[in-house]
Each structure stands twice: as C-alpha cells, then as structure tokens.
C-alpha cells in the first residue's frame, strides 16, 4: 500500500500543545496508529497555516519520536477537527474544496433548530423527535400550556452551557439553570406567577433558543441517563456504528454532558439492573437502526459529513428519542467508560474513510466541487 499523507486539522489552542503532547482529549497516538493501519502518515495542521494558492502548509509531523514543524505540500485529504466559526474561515475552507482538496467533516457545528428541521423532514424519524419549537413569546406560552416539563437550550450552544429547565411541580413552576451564585454552578428557583425572569426572557428571545419537551429518561441511581452513539463512515464509505456509551447527569443538575460532570458507563452498566440481557440486545439493535437513519438523513443535506456523535434518550418503556447531534464527537467518553477498543476504533474509522478519499482522488481527475454551505 502506498504511504501517503493525511491532514488532521486542529484549532490553534490544540495545535500549540502538540510539541508537548498537550492536546486535551485528542489522542495523537491514536491518530498515528490508526493512520498506519491504512498506509497513511498524519500531519497536524491549522487553517491559518495553509497557503491555498501555493498548495502548501506548515504542519507538525512526527520524526524520530519528536514532532517537527515544517513546510510541506498540502495533503489532498484533510480530516477537520477544528471549529471554523468566522466567515473568513468558512470562506477559506470553501476555497480548499473548490480546489479539489477533500475536507471531510467540513462543518462540525450545526444549529440545533436546523438539525431538528432536517430530521423532521424524514417521516420515518418523526416518532423519535421530541416536540420542539423555536423560542418565541407565543410558543413559550403554548409549550407551558401543553407540557409540565421543558428544556430551553441555545441553538448554537455546546457542552451543556446555557441550557435551562422549566417544570411544574405541585402546581408551582420552577426554573433550573446555571448560576454563579451556587457553589455547584446550578440552582433551582420558583417562578413568580409562572413567568420566567425578565432578564432570562430577554436572553431567550434576543438570541436563537429552542424550547423542547423534556423526555422522561431512564435513570441510574436516580439520575437521568442518555446515550452517546458514535456514527462514522469507514473504509467502504458507508455509515456504521462505532459504539455507544451511557452518560448519567450529576446529582445537582439534569445535564448529562461529560464536561458538566456527567458519569460515563456502558449501556449494560446503566440499564443492567432493570433490563434483561435479551432486552438490552434488542434495545441496542433499535438504537443502532435509529442512529444510522439519522446519520444518513443528515448526510443527504449536509456536505462532506463523516463523523458524528449522536445523543439519544431512552424512556422507561424503551422509547428512543433524538436529543442532539455533535459534529465534532469527543471520543474520550469511550475511554472513560472503560471501552478502550471502541475508543481506538473511533479514530480508526475516520482514517479508513480518509484512505478511501485518497484512492478516489487518485482515480478521478481533480475538478472544482460544488459546495453547498451547511446551516449554522
């Protein structure tokens, strides 16, 4: 197999940590091992170090056990692990695509309301979507009239920040949200006359928020649990399930994000006390089916998609619900759950897909690609 270079694109902060091996939750060793399986040598680069006119870049490559920063030819295939949120960055990535550089996972952050709308267009997925509406004064009133438990979340938020819960208990509406006043970072307040504080209302209606019915998730030691399902393209270019693990919210909040202190475990550990082995197998099969359908539906509208982390919820009677989609899956949850082989495979499959793109590039003469900008 011909040894070729594949680019791994990082944010500046992560990129600067490469010489010291301080790249947060990204495992350089896993990239290297995975790439080697497919005759690839990874180089680690940033968008700002790419000269698209000269087709060159400055990147880190490992030589004799040390990461060396050098000028080199721009790889024809790049796996994007950076967030390009500025318009100028998006324009530069678009230019790379137009020049025939294959950047996969080109967009890795999408607005939650846009994702919900895309999935709602697929009739077969509607049963897995909680009722959700864009936050307006009228829709907030409607949702509070029809549901006693709601989640309000920013359309562009991440790792659980900015999410609120409003719920009715014993005839009294309450709000749970992040606050600096609480030692734990979260607190619950009574709502006067069942109305959100004016400052909260201004924030919700000034920015893009989604109001969603709260799904009655299964619980682990009294704490709500959801699942992270890794769905990736592999050597054949088709979507496959790399693995899944469960996340239980900390005792003081309803948010299961690992970055917020969520406990990570296998599906069997989370549900094993209440589910039989046969039921777990059947449930896992249904979860895989739903996750694959979601990935396929999103890929039909979003270009260059290859690597997703889907958050799915399960109710006590086995119903499955979509919670949100992560375009830059933080794979370390597998390691935290003791699923080391799944953790390694979560790096391996994207490298396998990169090998496929390189082979396709060598067979097909480079032509400008039509690029449809994905929603944010």
């Amino acid at each position: 197999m011909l040894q070729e270079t594949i680019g791994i694109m990082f944010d500046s902060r992560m990129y600067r940590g490469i010489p010291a091996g301080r790249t947060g939750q990204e495992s350089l060793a896993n990239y290297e091992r995975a790439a080697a399986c497919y005759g690839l040598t990874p180089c680690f680069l940033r968008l700002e170090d790419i000269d698209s006119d000269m087709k060159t870049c400055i990147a880190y490559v490992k030589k004799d056990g040390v990461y060396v920063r050098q000028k080199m030819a721009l790889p024809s295939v790049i796996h994007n692990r950076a967030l390009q949120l500025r318009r100028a960055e998006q324009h530069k990535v678009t230019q790379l695509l137009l020049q025939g550089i294959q950047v996969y996972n080109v967009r890795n952050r999408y607005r939650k309301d846009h994702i919900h709308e895309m999935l709602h267009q697929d009739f077969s997925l509607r049963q897995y979507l909680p009722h959700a509406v864009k936050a307006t004064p009228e829709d907030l009133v409607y949702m509070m009239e029809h549901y006693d438990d709601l989640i309000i979340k920013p359309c562009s938020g991440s790792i659980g920040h900015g999410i609120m819960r409003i719920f009715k208990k014993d005839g009294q509406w309450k709000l749970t949200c992040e606050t600096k006043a609480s030692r734990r970072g979260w607190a619950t307040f009574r709502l006067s006359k069942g109305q959100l504080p004016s400052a909260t209302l201004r924030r919700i209606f000034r920015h893009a928020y989604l109001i969603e019915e709260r799904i009655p998730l299964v619980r682990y030691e009294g704490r709500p649990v959801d699942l992270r399902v890794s769905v990736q393209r592999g050597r054949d270019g088709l979507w496959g399930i790399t693995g899944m693990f469960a996340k239980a919210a900390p005792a003081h909040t309803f948010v299961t994000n690992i970055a917020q202190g969520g406990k990570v475990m296998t599906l069997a550990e989370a549900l094993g006390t209440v589910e039989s082995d046969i039921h777990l197998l059947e449930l896992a099969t249904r979860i895989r089916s739903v996750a694959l359908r979601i990935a396929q539906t999103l890929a039909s509208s979003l270009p260059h998609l290859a690597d997703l982390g889907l958050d799915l919820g399960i109710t006590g009677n086995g119903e499955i619900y979509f919670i949100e989609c992560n375009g830059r899956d933080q794979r370390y949850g597998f390691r935290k759950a003791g699923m080391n082989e799944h953790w390694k495979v979560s790096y391996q499959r994207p490298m396998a897909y990169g090998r496929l793109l390189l082979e396709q590039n060598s067979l097909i003469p480079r032509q400008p690609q039509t690029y449809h900008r994905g929603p944010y």
Side-chain angles (χ1 to χ4, degrees):
M1 183 183 291
L2 180 65
Q3 192 81 18
E4 295 187 68
T5 301
I6 187 168
I8 314 292
M9 187 147 61
F10 284 163
D11 292 322
S12 287
R13 186 175 64 175
M14 195 167 294
Y15 179 86
R16 286 193 294 267
I18 289 175
R22 295 174 182 168
T23 52
Q25 302 297 344
E26 290 275 33
S27 170
L28 301 183
N30 275 359
Y31 278 119
E32 289 154 6
R33 279 192 291 264
C37 291
Y38 300 98
L40 301 173
T41 299
C43 72
F44 302 96
L45 65 157
R46 307 182 288 185
L47 186 62
E48 54 261 50
D49 292 329
I50 293 175
D51 187 331
S52 54
D53 294 329
M54 300 301 294
K55 295 281 185 70
T56 61
C57 66
I58 299 173
Y60 278 110
V61 178
K62 196 171 190 179
K63 292 185 177 180
D64 300 322
V66 178
Y67 290 103
V68 178
R69 195 166 182 257
Q70 64 182 40
K71 187 173 182 178
M72 59 189 294
L74 183 64
S76 61
V77 173
I78 298 173
H79 178 28
N80 182 32
R81 293 291 287 172
L83 295 176
Q84 284 90 31
L85 300 180
R86 299 188 190 93
R87 200 171 289 274
E89 294 172 331
Q90 296 166 24
H91 176 72
K92 190 165 184 176
V93 174
T94 299
Q95 289 302 113
L96 293 175
L97 292 165
L98 290 170
Q99 291 174 337
I101 304 298
Q102 295 270 23
V103 183
Y104 59 108
N105 262 34
V106 60
R107 296 277 185 260
N108 48 32
R109 181 168 288 179
Y110 300 96
R111 283 176 52 130
K112 294 177 177 65
D113 52 336
H114 290 164
I115 292 292
H116 193 277
E117 288 167 11
M118 277 184 269
L119 296 179
H120 194 264
Q121 296 303 310
D122 185 335
F123 185 79
S124 69
L125 288 176
R126 290 183 184 178
Q127 63 181 305
Y128 305 112
L129 299 177
H131 187 198
V133 295
K134 190 84 171 288
T136 66
E138 297 77 20
D139 282 324
L140 177 58
V141 170
Y142 172 86
M143 292 294 278
M144 291 179 73
E145 287 175 347
H146 288 79
Y147 299 96
D148 288 340
D149 204 344
L150 297 168
I151 298 294
I152 304 177
K153 53 190 178 183
C155 291
S156 299
S158 65
I159 62 172
H161 290 308
I163 296 179
M164 294 169 269
R165 177 191 175 198
I166 55 173
F167 60 100
K168 198 176 198 179
K169 187 174 183 181
D170 301 327
Q172 171 74 53
W173 281 98
K174 296 183 179 182
L175 165 69
T176 299
C177 62
E178 285 182 296
T179 174
K180 293 179 181 177
S182 170
R183 183 174 57 83
R184 290 183 166 182
W186 291 82
T188 299
F189 308 91
R190 283 187 179 185
L191 298 182
S192 175
K193 301 177 183 178
Q195 295 179 338
L196 288 168
S198 57
T200 303
L201 289 171
R202 283 197 300 272
R203 180 172 49 157
I204 291 171
F205 300 140
R206 185 182 300 141
H207 305 286
Y209 273 75
L210 200 65
I211 307 172
E212 186 175 280
E213 66 168 309
R214 184 169 183 250
I215 303 305
L217 298 173
V218 293
R219 292 180 172 263
Y220 173 83
E221 296 181 349
R223 297 180 282 169
V225 171
D226 67 14
L227 304 178
R228 170 62 57 87
V229 185
S230 177
V231 196
Q232 301 172 308
R233 293 190 197 268
R235 188 71 173 87
D236 55 6
L238 302 177
W239 289 100
I241 304 298
T242 299
M244 66 183 79
F245 57 85
K247 300 175 284 145
H252 60 278
T253 183
F254 59 93
V255 177
T256 61
N257 300 71
I258 303 174
Q260 295 280 358
K263 178 179 172 62
V264 183
M265 67 201 85
T266 65
L267 179 64
E269 287 174 315
L271 305 180
T273 57
V274 294
E275 304 288 346
S276 68
D277 290 343
I278 295 175
H279 190 107
L280 277 173
L281 184 62
E282 183 270 336
L283 178 61
T285 299
R286 288 195 292 118
I287 291 167
R288 289 187 178 93
S289 177
V290 173
L292 283 174
R293 182 70 186 196
I294 289 171
Q296 291 159 357
T297 297
L298 293 178
S300 67
S301 299
L302 302 174
H304 314 289
L305 205 60
D307 186 4
L308 293 172
L310 302 179
D311 286 336
L312 302 179
I314 312 165
T315 66
N317 57 5
E319 294 176 308
I320 299 168
Y321 283 93
F322 170 79
I323 297 174
E324 67 179 46
C325 165
N326 299 275
R328 186 174 67 165
D329 189 15
Q330 299 300 311
R331 303 158 180 158
Y332 67 95
F334 286 117
R335 178 172 54 81
K336 285 182 172 290
M339 303 169 67
N340 285 331
E341 286 308 308
H342 290 82
W343 180 50
K344 292 174 184 177
V345 173
S346 70
Y347 285 82
Q348 205 167 51
R349 286 183 65 85
M351 292 298 96
Y353 183 62
R355 164 51 71 180
L356 174 67
L357 294 180
L358 281 163
E359 291 173 356
Q360 291 175 344
N361 263 8
S362 66
L363 293 174
I364 303 172
R366 279 196 190 176
Q367 296 176 353
Q369 302 176 23
T370 302
Y371 177 60
H372 304 286
R373 184 176 170 185
Y376 267 77

